[in-house]
Amino acid sequence: LLRTYAKARDRVEDVLAELGKAGGKIRAGFGGNKGGDGREDYQLLEERESKLQAKKKFEKVNLNRVLKTLVQVHGIQMLVTGVYNADPHPGNILVLPDGKLGLLDYGMVGRISESDRKTIARTILALENKDKRTTANIYRENGYKATNSKGDLVDDNVLHRFASFHFDKIDLSPLSLESGETVNILEVLRSTREVVTPTWVEEGRRLAGLLQGVAAQAARPISLAKEWSPIAKKALGKK
């Protein structure tokens, strides 16, 4: 989406430059082109004006609304219906001239059980509430296991940050451990090996990562936990 907008802006600038050139030719006397009647100049002007109008319409698209719709649609698919598009990369997403969202290529569709949907929903709400203990307990209770040279990673803060990467946002700020030590999260990631990764984590973090990537490319990073928390409440039957 970001690349599309950048290209659209460049094309608008090109159109304006061409319009200036065409206008200069016409004001100079309409007879500068082959045939001497100025028809090619008029055709050029009409084509450029048409393109300019099309780009102006595109610039009026509310990209924030489009991205919110994209995130909401996939949240409902994963947390409520259990059947979701597993490959919403930028090439499969269109912003139509009228501002509507177009989704392409449902060749990769994921299915997730009701129990796993509820587990993801609980994780989303814990992340949104910044409840590190609950987040860590959900991961531990459902079999997630990661190790490094010092042994199993059981610190609530570490597990919460991992869950944040999976279902919320990329947070590379220094990590404070329960021991009081502050560590570089990149060093933690480099030294960590996942031993057991539940299916719901694998499926959820792939979809979440793609949505985060699309939003980042559009220069509008999101908190997925914040966007999905109302859907998570619905999935759990909460108001």
Side-chain angles (χ1 to χ4, degrees), residues 68-198:
K68 188 174 185 67
T69 300
L70 174 71
V71 171
Q72 294 293 315
V73 165
H74 287 85
I76 292 170
Q77 290 176 357
M78 170 153 279
L79 298 177
V80 179
T81 67
V83 180
Y84 63 95
N85 175 15
D87 197 27
H89 62 75
N92 285 340
I93 300 167
L94 294 180
V95 180
L96 304 179
D98 62 359
K100 292 182 180 178
L101 176 67
L103 300 177
L104 307 178
D105 190 4
Y106 274 66
M108 186 182 293
V109 173
R111 290 174 173 78
I112 188 165
S113 69
E114 181 179 0
S115 61
D116 283 347
R117 296 201 302 273
K118 289 184 176 180
T119 300
I120 294 175
R122 289 170 53 218
T123 303
I124 291 293
L125 294 180
L127 289 169
E128 170 63 4
N129 294 327
K130 297 179 174 55
D131 187 342
K132 297 179 180 180
R133 183 173 298 280
T134 297
T135 305
N137 284 338
I138 291 171
Y139 266 50
R140 280 191 290 260
E141 291 168 2
N142 286 276
Y144 180 85
K145 185 176 182 181
T147 66
N148 61 16
S149 60
K150 297 180 182 179
D152 293 346
L153 294 176
V154 296
D155 190 296
D156 285 358
N157 297 305
V158 173
L159 293 176
H160 178 86
R161 183 66 66 86
F162 284 4
S164 179
F165 288 145
H166 299 161
F167 292 102
D168 187 22
K169 59 187 176 182
I170 302 301
D171 180 1
L172 299 178
S173 62
L175 179 64
S176 297
L177 304 180
E178 291 178 322
S179 64
E181 180 185 3
T182 299
V183 297
N184 185 326
I185 186 60
L186 291 177
E187 292 297 329
V188 174
L189 292 171
R190 279 192 283 265
S191 64
T192 296
R193 180 174 67 90
E194 289 184 318
V195 179
V196 180
T197 306

